[in-house]
Amino acid sequence: MNHCKTFLCCLSLFLVVGSLMLGGPGLKKTAFAEVKTDSRFINVAHRGASGYAPENTIAAFDKAVEMKADFFELDVQRSKDGHLVVLHDTSVDRTTDGTGYVRDMTLAELKRLDAGSWFSSKYSGEKIPTLEEVLERYRNKRINILIELKKPSLYPGIEQQVANLLREKHMDRWRGKVVVQSFNHDSIRRFHQTMPWVMTGALVSYTSYKDTGVTNEHLNTFARYADFVNPNKKLVDRDLVNRVHQRGMKILPYTVRSSEAADRLFHIGVDGFVTDYPELGYIYYAQ
Ligand code: G3P
Ligand code: CA
């Protein structure tokens, strides 16, 4: 009997230690297969395939899937009643038939808006999606999601809220399925502290960095919490690409809208780019 108890004790200890080694709470590595983001050019559909369908809608994300982009990018904000919603501007005026600030409207009010007609009557009735709807729809599709925390200073706690949703949808441990980025680097640092095993990106705007350029000091700081440095394409040259790579990060400039811009970036060695027209990335896959 005593032998039996000792055996069961040892077995439980073995199972607990074993499960932690395979990816228990707090560990960085995942037991799931990794999505390969480093095997070829990374083609990111900006706000979905927004050259062809209204930005940040299911129509634009479906189009990105149809066009075989590697990622689609989207912008996350929060409604008055606390729901994470997908929209670029802080007001609904430009991309819907309504007016007002996202943060002042409930989800029900936002859902009543038409987010497609401004682009084309073909898309009338397209709705503002919630982040949850997007994650649910694309979690098992062959596309990854680049989530931008848009103006997170307006939405205290949004980093934790996004992390909670990723965990709830089991998308946090699937490395490369989602990347979280922002122009607000404090916010990205907070997200990284909350969920260090999910990849992150530091967005770098032209207006904030045009005078200094992106210095080694900037890059050393980004490297503490980011896997990607994603600058405005006007800031990007071969030297910057090399300095980003030397620090173990990848670089995905935005926003590419011509084959000339695509070609220049490809030939200076970027890892991919963010584009309204995903076909601009096709020719680089084979090279
Ligand atoms: O992913 C880069 C891009 O989305 C950043 O600019 O203004 O389109 O959100 P913006
Ligand atoms: Ca964006």
Side-chain angles (χ1 to χ4, degrees):
M1 193 62 185
N2 273 347
H3 284 314
C4 189
K5 272 189 188 161
T6 312
F7 171 73
L8 286 174
C9 243
C10 286
L11 182 64
S12 320
L13 192 64
F14 175 75
L15 288 174
V16 168
V17 171
S19 77
L20 285 173
M21 287 174 74
L22 282 173
L27 295 183
K28 285 195 177 186
K29 287 295 171 192
T30 167
F32 292 92
E34 291 197 359
V35 171
K36 292 285 181 209
T37 56
D38 56 356
S39 58
R40 60 174 191 166
F41 194 80
I42 303 169
N43 198 17
V44 183
H46 179 230
R47 310 179 196 171
S50 59
Y52 299 103
E55 64 180 58
N56 281 319
T57 64
I58 295 298
F61 303 145
D62 279 357
K63 189 73 185 168
V65 175
E66 182 195 316
M67 296 183 78
K68 299 191 168 29
D70 299 300
F71 278 81
F72 61 75
E73 187 260 3
L74 57 77
D75 302 284
V76 172
Q77 300 185 64
R78 191 163 66 204
S79 68
K80 186 180 175 184
D81 50 348
H83 294 272
L84 296 173
V85 290
V86 176
L87 197 78
H88 180 271
D89 299 0
T90 52
S91 92
V92 300
D93 300 21
R94 180 178 62 88
T95 57
T96 76
D97 56 348
T99 55
Y101 288 103
V102 177
R103 67 175 189 271
D104 294 336
M105 302 172 82
T106 63
L107 180 62
E109 288 166 338
L110 291 166
K111 280 289 187 188
R112 278 199 282 275
L113 302 177
D114 178 341
S117 292
W118 70 276
F119 187 85
S120 154
S121 56
K122 181 178 157 195
Y123 293 103
S124 81
E126 200 68 36
K127 300 293 177 204
I128 295 172
T130 63
L131 182 61
E132 182 170 9
E133 287 164 352
V134 174
L135 296 182
E136 195 54 52
R137 186 176 178 92
Y138 300 100
R139 65 196 300 280
N140 292 318
K141 297 255 167 69
R142 281 184 72 86
I143 195 148
N144 306 312
I145 306 175
L146 177 58
I147 298 174
E148 181 183 344
L149 306 179
K150 183 59 85 186
K151 294 278 160 70
S153 58
L154 296 176
Y155 308 109
I158 194 166
E159 301 85 6
Q160 184 68 56
Q161 198 176 350
V162 169
N164 291 347
L165 188 58
L166 293 178
R167 189 178 287 113
E168 196 184 302
K169 298 287 168 195
H170 307 291
M171 291 171 82
D172 61 317
R173 295 278 169 167
W174 188 351
R175 194 162 167 80
K177 180 67 184 176
V178 292
V179 176
V180 177
Q181 66 170 2
S182 186
F183 287 108
N184 182 326
H185 300 158
D186 287 338
S187 176
I188 283 306
R189 201 171 47 227
R190 270 196 297 280
F191 180 85
H192 174 72
Q193 281 161 0
T194 305
M195 201 165 246
W197 53 92
V198 168
M199 287 201 272
T200 51
L203 278 164
V204 176
S205 75
Y206 182 67
T207 38
S208 303
Y209 287 81
K210 68 176 178 341
D211 295 334
T212 58
V214 185
T215 65
N216 286 341
E217 288 67 37
H218 293 136
L219 293 179
N220 293 342
T221 305
F222 299 156
R224 291 192 201 117
Y225 49 80
D227 303 278
F228 290 85
V229 178
N230 298 339
N232 183 299
K233 63 181 184 293
K234 288 190 281 184
L235 293 166
V236 180
D237 58 16
R238 192 181 290 275
D239 176 59
L240 177 60
V241 172
N242 290 340
R243 289 185 292 118
V244 169
H245 288 163
Q246 279 158 12
R247 288 162 177 80
M249 296 181 286
K250 291 185 190 297
I251 181 165
L252 301 175
Y254 70 90
T255 301
V256 174
R257 299 187 175 100
S258 71
S259 53
E260 291 75 21
D263 236 30
R264 184 186 79 82
L265 291 169
F266 178 75
H267 285 108
I268 60 176
V270 300
D271 298 287
F273 52 58
V274 178
T275 178
D276 293 350
Y277 305 100
E279 76 276 14
L280 291 175
Y282 290 170
I283 60 168
Y284 307 116
Y285 286 162
Q287 298 186 39

